Amino acid sequence: MELGTLNQAFQEVEDSKPVEDIPTTTHVQLEEKVADPPANEYTQIKPYAGMPKEVLLLYSSQACYRVPREILFWLIVACTLTLVALTISVVALSPRCLSWWQVSPVYQVYPRSFRDSDGDGVGDIKGIQEMLGHFEYLNIKSVWISPIYRSPMRDLGYDVEDFRAIDPLFGTMQDFDDLLAEMHKLGLKLIMDFIPNHTSDKHRWFNLSRAREPHYEDYYVWADCSATGPKPNNWVSMFGNSSWTYDEVRGQCYLHQFLKKQPDLNFRNPRVRQEMLDIISFWLDKGVDGFRMDSVKHLLEAAHLRDEPQVDPDKPPESVVSEWDLHHDFTTTQLGLHDLLREWRAQMDDFSREPGRYRLMVTESQDGPEVEKTMMYYGTPLTKESDFPFNFYLLDLPQNTSGLWVKHLVNLWMANMPTGRWANWLVGNHNIPRVASRAGQRYMRVINMLLLTLPGTPTTYYGEEIGMENINVTESQIQDPAGRYNASASRDPQRSPMQWSADPNAGFNNKTNMTWLPVHPNYSRVNVEVQKQDEGSVLSQYRLLNTLRQSELPLQRGWFCYIHADRGVFAYLRELDGLDRAFLLVLNFGHESAVTDLSAITELPGRLRVLISTNRANDGKVFSKSLIATEAGEGLMIEFSSRARFNTNHPGMCYVSEKACYLAAMDILYTC
Ligand code: GLC
């Protein structure tokens, strides 16, 4: 139908009706005229509903209405898709926000020795609370507190009698709640020690188990033996001698991988697993921010109980008494261990959903040269376990101070860590002689500079920030059970009271002259108060470096690139794409002064100004990059503009060798 014909048809309809009869819907009228459909409610109300085919065909063939709309439609679709794609790429390529446990170092408080508020000679919870200002001063946000559970203290708290109670020596549950509330108010996170492998022999479960009470019979690892006969096998305890002890009540032997006062729990028993999950929930419900999980590699033992192979097969079996005598094939890292950790992780994740309430899981396992075993504690890309397993490799640093050695130790972690995971560094804890004593006070500053400028979370054992040293402990002063077996194995020397000031007892307490271990005689010189006044002190430098680490993105999350290592110096860069400020670290771990030539690193400007030297006299010095001078034990932090890198045709981020650069906090490992 032509347009003219259509108009004519309308006109005819108009003309044939008296004005008052014309229905409001002209088109219905028209349709009635053409097709004469039965009238119904729908056609009465809807305009156009009954438009004749000719009219519809006419409109549909008019390209001037359809094409622009289609173009508009597809334009909108294309724009929307582009926007979505752009958003996804920006999100995917942006660095992840770092979590609290990545931003701040973890500070380990050994509660017996931190601060004694009531003058009984032993540190306590109120004492920790009194000293929270120290963490603010240091810009530390994460604090791990060694065990404060109720305990007979045979292993100074690592023998737990009640996982849901605070030992009166340290205070009350109310003290703990107050401490936690105050820490949270100050933006501090509290990490608890969690000791799942064993309990104290005073634990209720052990008494029920030795009495073969229903449900509790298999809470521990029991095996047949007699009071005087041979032990079930040749397994030895970490503290020496057989790891089996005969129990008269039950008439069997129980396993203890540590002291005989620390019977091993049986994690093959689902009830024990549930108990542990409940304990984790108990503390997470209270609001604690994470756990350091103790001795995890010992959690399971082979059920067959076969002898472990001797390191020296020719040694008479009766002289196998120390952990070093055996290969621990059946008492460590058994199948099923990682399932346990995943269960705990899942439990912790349930508590991590609330924004800003991420709960940290750190595992303790020293696997020596078997670094791949340690890395397994990170879990897999699909099933996470710890946020990081403690990195014990730098404990070997004092053995052979040289740049090459330190680079080797650092690279042990970096080269083996699963891609995209977060590193961590420590040089001491309550089990290891203090680093200032092992490496020498001269190296304390450069070691702190290393820890605070490597990518990953540093852990600081209390007192390392002021360079505390081991104390001498006479036999009569020994407190550590490990020292009772073998005085040289005592861990007391590294557990002495914190040195706060030059006051009596180093300000550890102010009521009596009693302290559970002697205070180091150097306390009038090596203490927090004195070092606060000295800008060049170990403490002031720690604080400055830690503040820089948290304010300078390249140090926190940037690329980490090796550029040099020799028998004295270890040098590396920290820089982040898109940021002009970058940092060069030149650390001399050797015994002699050195001059380092970095002229091969074309990205570095010719002249380099020292931002911080561990020897303050060298702050601000300007070096030619081919002649960077350092003294033995000196570390230099040099700030430079990384713009040169963008102006050269440098093929990416590799400076020295394959896999020389790592980017913290992203799933990127740069390989040349
Ligand atoms: C862990 C602790 C250590 C303790 C042992 C037994 O290794 O760090 O101090 O003696 O477990 O509980």
Side-chain angles (χ1 to χ4, degrees):
M1 191 186 277
E2 299 280 335
L3 190 57
T5 325
L6 184 70
N7 283 338
Q8 201 183 338
F10 271 114
Q11 198 55 50
E12 277 169 20
V13 174
E14 299 273 305
D15 292 346
S16 65
K17 287 261 172 190
V19 175
E20 64 278 15
D21 288 349
I22 295 175
T24 46
T25 310
T26 325
H27 303 280
V28 173
Q29 193 68 37
L30 180 69
E31 192 183 40
E32 269 170 10
K33 212 171 162 47
V34 177
D36 205 17
N40 61 32
E41 208 188 20
Y42 180 72
T43 54
Q44 296 295 323
I45 298 162
K46 285 252 172 181
Y48 305 103
M51 205 176 259
K53 191 168 83 189
E54 292 83 350
V55 177
L56 289 171
L57 280 173
L58 176 77
Y59 281 109
S60 68
S61 66
Q62 283 175 348
C64 55
Y65 289 97
R66 205 185 57 192
V67 171
R69 264 188 234 139
E70 276 184 12
I71 291 175
L72 195 65
F73 171 76
W74 287 114
L75 264 177
I76 292 172
V77 169
C79 287
T80 315
L81 287 178
T82 316
L83 268 176
V84 170
L86 268 175
T87 315
I88 292 175
S89 341
V90 168
V91 171
L93 293 177
S94 311
R96 270 182 242 141
C97 283
L98 295 188
S99 191
W100 58 266
W101 53 272
Q102 296 171 303
V103 176
S104 160
V106 171
Y107 187 100
Q108 183 188 355
V109 166
Y110 193 67
R112 299 179 80 88
S113 296
F114 199 58
R115 161 84 183 160
D116 168 20
S117 74
D118 57 8
D120 66 356
V122 179
D124 45 48
I125 294 175
K126 281 195 171 139
I128 300 173
Q129 188 161 343
E130 281 173 13
M131 292 305 180
L132 292 181
H134 186 55
F135 304 125
E136 274 191 280
Y137 171 79
L138 290 176
N139 202 9
I140 295 247
K141 300 275 183 250
S142 314
V143 181
W144 151 35
I145 304 181
S146 287
I148 46 178
Y149 308 103
R150 182 187 291 278
S151 159
M153 301 288 166
R154 305 312 283 252
D155 190 14
L156 304 178
Y158 283 94
D159 48 328
V160 179
E161 185 182 331
D162 184 346
F163 288 101
R164 290 184 175 82
I166 299 290
D167 195 276
L169 194 63
F170 297 124
T172 62
M173 190 58 94
Q174 188 58 52
D175 294 341
F176 176 82
D177 291 341
D178 292 347
L179 173 70
L180 183 61
E182 184 63 16
M183 286 180 68
H184 283 171
K185 209 162 91 194
L186 296 172
L188 300 169
K189 304 286 185 182
L190 193 160
I191 302 158
M192 293 286 276
D193 220 305
F194 180 62
I195 302 120
N197 178 65
H198 44 264
T199 67
S200 154
D201 62 348
K202 297 280 177 289
H203 196 291
R204 188 177 62 93
W205 300 337
F206 189 67
N207 283 325
L208 294 168
S209 191
R210 71 208 304 205
R212 294 182 191 265
E213 284 292 329
H215 296 331
Y216 294 93
E217 206 172 334
D218 296 328
Y219 261 47
Y220 294 84
V221 182
W222 294 99
D224 287 339
C225 75
S226 65
T228 50
K231 295 284 157 50
N233 58 31
N234 73 345
W235 298 354
V236 289
S237 138
M238 292 296 109
F239 291 131
N241 298 320
S242 173
S243 57
W244 296 99
T245 291
Y246 178 74
D247 179 58
E248 280 173 6
V249 179
R250 175 147 165 162
Q252 270 189 315
C253 276
Y254 64 87
L255 178 77
H256 51 89
Q257 297 221 47
F258 293 90
L259 295 176
K260 61 174 157 202
K261 300 276 176 191
Q262 293 171 300
D264 268 45
L265 283 164
N266 172 17
F267 275 96
R268 301 194 188 279
N269 180 342
R271 286 180 200 274
V272 172
R273 292 165 83 127
Q274 190 53 50
E275 295 275 13
M276 283 301 151
L277 287 171
D278 293 347
I279 290 163
I280 289 175
S281 294
F282 174 83
W283 291 101
L284 293 180
D285 264 335
K286 275 194 170 286
V288 306
D289 300 286
F291 292 107
R292 171 262 187 197
M293 302 199 151
D294 183 73
S295 305
V296 287
K297 73 174 178 187
H298 293 105
L299 286 171
L300 289 168
E301 300 77 28
H304 55 60
L305 303 187
R306 287 207 292 270
D307 278 358
E308 288 189 322
Q310 287 184 203
V311 171
D312 175 1
D314 298 331
K315 210 171 176 182
E318 58 282 5
S319 61
V320 168
V321 286
S322 126
E323 61 163 318
W324 310 112
D325 291 333
L326 294 172
H327 294 289
H328 299 289
D329 295 354
F330 304 141
T331 51
T332 61
T333 326
Q334 297 298 293
L335 204 67
L337 159 65
H338 290 278
D339 296 330
L340 287 171
L341 295 169
R342 284 172 196 170
E343 249 173 58
W344 297 343
R345 173 83 248 178
Q347 181 88 346
M348 294 179 70
D349 283 348
D350 280 350
F351 285 83
S352 296
R353 299 221 173 88
E354 215 181 306
R357 296 296 287 120
Y358 186 80
R359 314 300 173 110
L360 173 72
M361 175 167 159
V362 180
T363 42
E364 184 222 21
S365 173
Q366 259 175 286
D367 300 294
E370 296 174 297
V371 58
E372 65 291 344
K373 281 193 179 164
T374 302
M375 294 302 161
M376 284 180 74
Y377 293 100
Y378 275 114
T380 68
L382 295 179
T383 334
K384 206 166 102 187
E385 292 177 29
S386 359
D387 292 292
F388 51 78
F390 270 139
N391 172 358
F392 291 108
Y393 292 100
L394 283 184
L395 294 181
D396 290 341
L397 187 151
Q399 265 174 30
N400 170 10
T401 42
S402 90
L404 279 165
W405 178 242
V406 177
K407 180 188 169 188
H408 161 74
L409 297 177
V410 167
N411 199 45
L412 258 179
W413 199 267
M414 296 309 289
N416 289 292
M417 181 174 69
T419 307
R421 301 310 300 273
W422 186 256
N424 76 102
W425 312 97
L426 61 87
V427 286
N429 67 24
H430 59 294
N431 296 322
I432 299 141
R434 285 196 176 269
V435 69
S437 301
R438 290 183 300 132
Q441 196 57 257
R442 181 191 213 179
Y443 296 94
M444 200 56 235
R445 288 177 178 77
V446 73
I447 287 172
N448 278 340
M449 187 176 257
L450 174 78
L451 259 64
L452 290 161
T453 56
L454 286 174
T457 301
T459 300
T460 299
Y461 181 51
Y462 81 97
E464 274 169 11
E465 73 277 29
I466 53 172
M468 269 175 65
E469 294 173 23
N470 287 344
I471 53 164
N472 287 322
V473 178
T474 60
E475 269 205 62
S476 64
Q477 290 168 326
I478 286 180
Q479 303 280 336
D480 178 25
R484 295 206 188 99
Y485 287 97
N486 167 5
S488 70
S490 166
R491 297 166 293 179
D492 294 324
Q494 59 264 28
R495 296 175 175 180
S496 66
M498 175 69 181
Q499 295 163 208
W500 293 106
S501 68
D503 294 342
N505 291 343
F508 168 66
N509 62 20
N510 43 20
K511 293 194 176 148
T512 70
N513 60 3
M514 180 177 74
T515 57
W516 78 286
L517 279 174
V519 175
H520 198 288
N522 70 9
Y523 76 90
S524 56
R525 194 169 30 88
V526 179
N527 70 59
V528 173
E529 206 173 271
V530 162
Q531 292 199 10
K532 272 187 181 172
Q533 315 306 321
D534 171 6
E535 284 188 10
S537 66
V538 180
L539 179 71
S540 298
Q541 289 200 341
Y542 180 101
R543 179 178 186 235
L544 178 61
L545 286 166
N546 187 30
T547 307
L548 273 176
R549 182 184 173 275
Q550 292 179 51
S551 60
E552 294 292 347
L553 286 179
L555 292 174
Q556 205 180 87
R557 62 177 331 141
W559 288 98
F560 165 62
C561 306
Y562 305 128
I563 53 170
H564 182 88
D566 60 30
R567 69 194 174 91
V569 168
F570 174 37
Y572 49 93
L573 300 179
R574 300 301 314 274
E575 57 180 38
L576 193 59
D577 298 356
L579 281 188
D580 194 19
R581 282 160 75 83
F583 297 89
L584 159 67
L585 281 302
V586 183
L587 311 182
N588 187 342
F589 290 98
H591 299 289
E592 288 159 19
S593 51
V595 174
T596 308
D597 178 3
L598 296 180
S599 51
I601 314 299
T602 51
E603 288 71 15
L604 286 173
R607 294 175 68 72
L608 298 162
R609 175 184 291 273
V610 174
L611 180 67
I612 303 173
S613 162
T614 54
N615 174 355
R616 282 213 68 217
N618 293 334
D619 279 1
K621 259 197 178 167
V622 178
F623 291 111
S624 147
K625 74 169 165 179
S626 55
L627 295 167
I628 304 173
T630 45
E631 294 152 25
E634 183 182 12
L636 304 178
M637 177 189 266
I638 291 166
E639 188 195 319
F640 67 98
S641 161
S642 57
R643 197 163 295 160
R645 178 158 68 81
F646 303 109
N647 297 338
T648 61
N649 289 330
H650 197 280
M653 295 293 304
C654 286
Y655 290 89
V656 178
S657 60
E658 212 176 285
K659 293 188 181 171
C661 287
Y662 299 90
L663 182 54
M666 285 191 74
D667 294 346
I668 295 176
L669 161 72
Y670 198 93
T671 314
C672 288

mmCIF file of all heavy atoms in Angstrom, residues 480-504:
data_model
loop_
_atom_site.group_PDB
_atom_site.id
_atom_site.type_symbol
_atom_site.label_atom_id
_atom_site.label_comp_id
_atom_site.label_asym_id
_atom_site.label_seq_id
_atom_site.Cartn_x
_atom_site.Cartn_y
_atom_site.Cartn_z
ATOM 1 N N ASP A 480 66.242 -23.633 81.052
ATOM 2 C CA ASP A 480 65.746 -24.355 79.877
ATOM 3 C C ASP A 480 65.985 -25.857 80.036
ATOM 4 O O ASP A 480 67.108 -26.281 80.303
ATOM 5 C CB ASP A 480 66.494 -23.834 78.635
ATOM 6 C CG ASP A 480 66.085 -24.571 77.378
ATOM 7 O OD1 ASP A 480 64.964 -25.117 77.340
ATOM 8 O OD2 ASP A 480 66.895 -24.605 76.427
ATOM 9 N N PRO A 481 64.934 -26.682 79.825
ATOM 10 C CA PRO A 481 65.121 -28.127 79.977
ATOM 11 C C PRO A 481 66.160 -28.678 79.010
ATOM 12 O O PRO A 481 66.889 -29.612 79.358
ATOM 13 C CB PRO A 481 63.741 -28.698 79.664
ATOM 14 C CG PRO A 481 63.026 -27.626 78.913
ATOM 15 C CD PRO A 481 63.575 -26.341 79.440
ATOM 16 N N ALA A 482 66.262 -28.064 77.824
ATOM 17 C CA ALA A 482 67.254 -28.551 76.854
ATOM 18 C C ALA A 482 68.653 -28.414 77.440
ATOM 19 O O ALA A 482 69.547 -29.222 77.173
ATOM 20 C CB ALA A 482 67.150 -27.774 75.550
ATOM 21 N N GLY A 483 68.842 -27.401 78.287
ATOM 22 C CA GLY A 483 70.138 -27.166 78.905
ATOM 23 C C GLY A 483 70.428 -28.129 80.035
ATOM 24 O O GLY A 483 71.583 -28.311 80.432
ATOM 25 N N ARG A 484 69.373 -28.769 80.563
ATOM 26 C CA ARG A 484 69.606 -29.732 81.646
ATOM 27 C C ARG A 484 70.183 -31.019 81.086
ATOM 28 O O ARG A 484 70.924 -31.723 81.743
ATOM 29 C CB ARG A 484 68.303 -29.994 82.401
ATOM 30 C CG ARG A 484 67.842 -28.727 83.099
ATOM 31 C CD ARG A 484 66.984 -28.993 84.304
ATOM 32 N NE ARG A 484 66.450 -27.722 84.764
ATOM 33 C CZ ARG A 484 65.238 -27.268 84.489
ATOM 34 N NH1 ARG A 484 64.397 -28.007 83.800
ATOM 35 N NH2 ARG A 484 64.846 -26.087 84.926
ATOM 36 N N TYR A 485 69.817 -31.335 79.839
ATOM 37 C CA TYR A 485 70.407 -32.523 79.205
ATOM 38 C C TYR A 485 71.837 -32.237 78.796
ATOM 39 O O TYR A 485 72.713 -33.066 78.865
ATOM 40 C CB TYR A 485 69.622 -32.901 77.943
ATOM 41 C CG TYR A 485 68.283 -33.520 78.229
ATOM 42 C CD1 TYR A 485 67.130 -32.754 78.206
ATOM 43 C CD2 TYR A 485 68.190 -34.875 78.518
ATOM 44 C CE1 TYR A 485 65.903 -33.318 78.468
ATOM 45 C CE2 TYR A 485 66.955 -35.445 78.786
ATOM 46 C CZ TYR A 485 65.810 -34.663 78.765
ATOM 47 O OH TYR A 485 64.604 -35.225 79.032
ATOM 48 N N ASN A 486 72.023 -30.995 78.311
ATOM 49 C CA ASN A 486 73.310 -30.670 77.721
ATOM 50 C C ASN A 486 73.473 -29.155 77.854
ATOM 51 O O ASN A 486 72.807 -28.392 77.138
ATOM 52 C CB ASN A 486 73.244 -31.121 76.245
ATOM 53 C CG ASN A 486 74.379 -30.581 75.419
ATOM 54 O OD1 ASN A 486 75.281 -29.935 75.942
ATOM 55 N ND2 ASN A 486 74.316 -30.839 74.132
ATOM 56 N N ALA A 487 74.345 -28.736 78.801
ATOM 57 C CA ALA A 487 74.440 -27.305 79.137
ATOM 58 C C ALA A 487 74.676 -26.452 77.899
ATOM 59 O O ALA A 487 74.160 -25.338 77.784
ATOM 60 C CB ALA A 487 75.545 -27.096 80.154
ATOM 61 N N SER A 488 75.417 -26.994 76.906
ATOM 62 C CA SER A 488 75.724 -26.159 75.740
ATOM 63 C C SER A 488 74.490 -25.978 74.843
ATOM 64 O O SER A 488 74.475 -25.124 73.973
ATOM 65 C CB SER A 488 76.876 -26.770 74.946
ATOM 66 O OG SER A 488 76.427 -27.944 74.325
ATOM 67 N N ALA A 489 73.472 -26.816 75.058
ATOM 68 C CA ALA A 489 72.258 -26.684 74.235
ATOM 69 C C ALA A 489 71.243 -25.755 74.877
ATOM 70 O O ALA A 489 70.165 -25.522 74.331
ATOM 71 C CB ALA A 489 71.633 -28.056 74.020
ATOM 72 N N SER A 490 71.585 -25.198 76.041
ATOM 73 C CA SER A 490 70.627 -24.341 76.738
ATOM 74 C C SER A 490 70.263 -23.135 75.868
ATOM 75 O O SER A 490 71.127 -22.492 75.264
ATOM 76 C CB SER A 490 71.231 -23.863 78.054
ATOM 77 O OG SER A 490 70.447 -22.800 78.547
ATOM 78 N N ARG A 491 68.974 -22.810 75.858
ATOM 79 C CA ARG A 491 68.512 -21.655 75.080
ATOM 80 C C ARG A 491 68.327 -20.428 75.966
ATOM 81 O O ARG A 491 67.828 -19.397 75.523
ATOM 82 C CB ARG A 491 67.207 -22.026 74.366
ATOM 83 C CG ARG A 491 67.407 -23.161 73.363
ATOM 84 C CD ARG A 491 66.093 -23.759 72.906
ATOM 85 N NE ARG A 491 65.426 -24.454 74.005
ATOM 86 C CZ ARG A 491 64.235 -25.071 73.899
ATOM 87 N NH1 ARG A 491 63.604 -25.075 72.742
ATOM 88 N NH2 ARG A 491 63.689 -25.674 74.926
ATOM 89 N N ASP A 492 68.751 -20.553 77.238
ATOM 90 C CA ASP A 492 68.619 -19.415 78.145
ATOM 91 C C ASP A 492 69.402 -18.176 77.695
ATOM 92 O O ASP A 492 68.913 -17.055 77.858
ATOM 93 C CB ASP A 492 69.074 -19.800 79.556
ATOM 94 C CG ASP A 492 68.154 -20.852 80.181
ATOM 95 O OD1 ASP A 492 66.937 -20.791 79.921
ATOM 96 O OD2 ASP A 492 68.659 -21.739 80.896
ATOM 97 N N PRO A 493 70.623 -18.346 77.137
ATOM 98 C CA PRO A 493 71.405 -17.135 76.825
ATOM 99 C C PRO A 493 70.676 -16.131 75.939
ATOM 100 O O PRO A 493 70.869 -14.930 76.064
ATOM 101 C CB PRO A 493 72.641 -17.702 76.104
ATOM 102 C CG PRO A 493 72.804 -19.076 76.674
ATOM 103 C CD PRO A 493 71.400 -19.578 76.884
ATOM 104 N N GLN A 494 69.792 -16.633 75.052
ATOM 105 C CA GLN A 494 69.092 -15.698 74.151
ATOM 106 C C GLN A 494 67.732 -15.269 74.691
ATOM 107 O O GLN A 494 66.953 -14.658 73.975
ATOM 108 C CB GLN A 494 68.937 -16.304 72.753
ATOM 109 C CG GLN A 494 68.168 -17.607 72.667
ATOM 110 C CD GLN A 494 69.064 -18.841 72.672
ATOM 111 O OE1 GLN A 494 70.162 -18.808 73.224
ATOM 112 N NE2 GLN A 494 68.615 -19.911 72.053
ATOM 113 N N ARG A 495 67.433 -15.646 75.959
ATOM 114 C CA ARG A 495 66.103 -15.342 76.500
ATOM 115 C C ARG A 495 66.156 -14.355 77.664
ATOM 116 O O ARG A 495 65.241 -14.281 78.478
ATOM 117 C CB ARG A 495 65.440 -16.645 76.956
ATOM 118 C CG ARG A 495 65.190 -17.605 75.798
ATOM 119 C CD ARG A 495 64.648 -18.940 76.256
ATOM 120 N NE ARG A 495 64.310 -19.790 75.119
ATOM 121 C CZ ARG A 495 63.813 -21.023 75.221
ATOM 122 N NH1 ARG A 495 63.605 -21.560 76.407
ATOM 123 N NH2 ARG A 495 63.520 -21.726 74.156
ATOM 124 N N SER A 496 67.235 -13.606 77.770
ATOM 125 C CA SER A 496 67.400 -12.750 78.949
ATOM 126 C C SER A 496 66.441 -11.550 78.889
ATOM 127 O O SER A 496 65.915 -11.218 77.823
ATOM 128 C CB SER A 496 68.849 -12.260 79.036
ATOM 129 O OG SER A 496 69.126 -11.413 77.948
ATOM 130 N N PRO A 497 66.211 -10.893 80.057
ATOM 131 C CA PRO A 497 65.250 -9.788 80.091
ATOM 132 C C PRO A 497 65.580 -8.665 79.107
ATOM 133 O O PRO A 497 66.748 -8.314 78.911
ATOM 134 C CB PRO A 497 65.348 -9.296 81.537
ATOM 135 C CG PRO A 497 65.787 -10.500 82.304
ATOM 136 C CD PRO A 497 66.724 -11.228 81.390
ATOM 137 N N MET A 498 64.523 -8.136 78.544
ATOM 138 C CA MET A 498 64.648 -7.020 77.595
ATOM 139 C C MET A 498 65.314 -5.833 78.278
ATOM 140 O O MET A 498 65.011 -5.523 79.440
ATOM 141 C CB MET A 498 63.249 -6.649 77.100
ATOM 142 C CG MET A 498 63.187 -5.444 76.194
ATOM 143 S SD MET A 498 63.961 -5.780 74.594
ATOM 144 C CE MET A 498 63.753 -4.192 73.805
ATOM 145 N N GLN A 499 66.183 -5.169 77.539
ATOM 146 C CA GLN A 499 66.940 -4.050 78.101
ATOM 147 C C GLN A 499 66.280 -2.725 77.708
ATOM 148 O O GLN A 499 66.484 -2.216 76.606
ATOM 149 C CB GLN A 499 68.395 -4.173 77.641
ATOM 150 C CG GLN A 499 69.043 -5.433 78.220
ATOM 151 C CD GLN A 499 70.314 -5.905 77.546
ATOM 152 O OE1 GLN A 499 70.620 -7.100 77.553
ATOM 153 N NE2 GLN A 499 71.078 -4.994 76.963
ATOM 154 N N TRP A 500 65.486 -2.214 78.646
ATOM 155 C CA TRP A 500 64.708 -1.004 78.350
ATOM 156 C C TRP A 500 65.470 0.277 78.676
ATOM 157 O O TRP A 500 65.301 1.287 78.008
ATOM 158 C CB TRP A 500 63.389 -1.012 79.137
ATOM 159 C CG TRP A 500 62.453 -2.090 78.700
ATOM 160 C CD1 TRP A 500 62.156 -3.248 79.360
ATOM 161 C CD2 TRP A 500 61.686 -2.123 77.487
ATOM 162 N NE1 TRP A 500 61.257 -4.002 78.628
ATOM 163 C CE2 TRP A 500 60.944 -3.328 77.477
ATOM 164 C CE3 TRP A 500 61.546 -1.250 76.407
ATOM 165 C CZ2 TRP A 500 60.097 -3.674 76.425
ATOM 166 C CZ3 TRP A 500 60.696 -1.594 75.365
ATOM 167 C CH2 TRP A 500 59.984 -2.783 75.380
ATOM 168 N N SER A 501 66.261 0.211 79.771
ATOM 169 C CA SER A 501 66.924 1.450 80.202
ATOM 170 C C SER A 501 68.144 1.093 81.047
ATOM 171 O O SER A 501 68.437 -0.085 81.262
ATOM 172 C CB SER A 501 65.952 2.288 81.041
ATOM 173 O OG SER A 501 65.705 1.603 82.259
ATOM 174 N N ALA A 502 68.805 2.124 81.530
ATOM 175 C CA ALA A 502 69.979 1.897 82.376
ATOM 176 C C ALA A 502 69.577 1.753 83.845
ATOM 177 O O ALA A 502 70.428 1.660 84.735
ATOM 178 C CB ALA A 502 70.967 3.042 82.192
ATOM 179 N N ASP A 503 68.268 1.730 84.123
ATOM 180 C CA ASP A 503 67.787 1.541 85.501
ATOM 181 C C ASP A 503 68.121 0.130 85.982
ATOM 182 O O ASP A 503 68.421 -0.746 85.159
ATOM 183 C CB ASP A 503 66.260 1.722 85.555
ATOM 184 C CG ASP A 503 65.872 3.156 85.243
ATOM 185 O OD1 ASP A 503 66.766 4.021 85.334
ATOM 186 O OD2 ASP A 503 64.710 3.383 84.873
ATOM 187 N N PRO A 504 68.004 -0.117 87.312
ATOM 188 C CA PRO A 504 68.270 -1.481 87.792
ATOM 189 C C PRO A 504 67.417 -2.478 87.019
ATOM 190 O O PRO A 504 66.276 -2.173 86.629
ATOM 191 C CB PRO A 504 67.838 -1.419 89.261
ATOM 192 C CG PRO A 504 67.908 0.029 89.626
ATOM 193 C CD PRO A 504 67.671 0.815 88.378
#
